[in-house]
Amino acid sequence: MSRTTPADVRVRVAEDPADREACFAVRKEVFVAEQGVDEAIEYDAFDAPDSDTVHVVAEGPDGPLGTGRLLHGPAAAGVTGGEPGVGSLGRLAVRQVARGLGVGAAVVRGLEGAAAQLGLRAVDLHAQTHALGFYERLGYQAYGPEFEDAGIGHRAMRREL
C-alpha cells in the first residue's frame, strides 16, 4: 500500500453493488478475520440493497480503507427502541493498515452527514468498549450498562446532530 495520508481519504455513499462488496470486504477483514466474529452473524438483512440502510465507504489511492452503515426508519427502530428521529450507526470498520489516519472519524462524520440529510436528530451506536474514547472525542456519550455482542464488550452511545 502506498503512503496514504488523511488528505487522500475520501468518504462517499456506497451507490452500487461493487461499492457494497468493497464495504463487505473491509468488514470481513476487520470483524471476521481480525476479531474472530462468526461470518454467519456479521451479515444480516440490513445488508440487503432494499433495506433502510445507507452504507459508506472510505477510499484511498489504493482502494477501500473503511466502512460503516446507517440504519434509519423502521430498520433503526429495533436498535434505538423505536425512538423517532434517531438513526443507528454500525458495522464501523477500518482496515489495520489505515488506522491512525483519521479514516474512522471520516466514516463516522460521513454517516452523520447522511443521517442529517435524512432529517434525523440524533444517532446511536454500539461501541466496542476499547473504542469508547474514540467515540467520546467525536461527541458521543455512553449510556446504559456494558453488554456483550459477538463475544465482545460494548456500550450504547448517542450523539445529537
Side-chain angles (χ1 to χ4, degrees):
M1 176 171 276
S2 65
R3 295 172 61 88
T4 302
T5 67
D8 296 327
V9 178
R10 184 177 78 120
V11 176
R12 62 181 180 80
V13 171
E15 298 286 348
D16 60 37
D19 290 343
R20 292 171 79 83
E21 287 305 315
C23 294
F24 300 154
V26 171
R27 286 170 43 188
K28 185 172 184 174
E29 181 179 325
V30 173
F31 296 127
V32 178
E34 186 180 326
Q35 295 183 352
V37 173
D38 184 344
E39 193 167 1
I41 64 170
E42 173 52 29
Y43 306 100
D44 58 26
F46 302 123
D47 290 322
D50 59 348
S51 66
D52 289 334
T53 309
V54 175
H55 293 262
V56 299
V57 60
E59 298 171 313
D62 296 322
L65 301 172
T67 189
R69 74 179 186 189
L70 165 68
L71 306 181
H72 58 93
V79 182
T80 65
E83 195 172 338
V86 179
S88 177
L89 306 188
R91 302 306 203 267
L92 296 146
V94 175
R95 294 181 62 215
Q96 193 168 29
V97 297
R99 294 184 192 148
L101 298 176
V103 175
V107 167
V108 170
R109 295 302 188 223
L111 290 166
E112 290 171 347
Q117 286 184 328
L118 291 166
L120 300 178
R121 64 171 178 75
V123 288
D124 279 5
L125 58 82
H126 293 163
Q128 292 182 5
T129 53
H130 72 85
L132 289 171
F134 167 77
Y135 291 110
E136 287 169 346
R137 287 187 297 278
L138 294 176
Y140 286 79
Q141 295 182 327
Y143 66 91
E146 183 175 328
F147 61 94
E148 199 170 283
D149 186 11
I152 301 168
H154 285 72
R155 290 271 319 268
M157 302 187 86
R158 174 171 288 185
R159 180 171 183 266
E160 301 293 324
L161 298 176

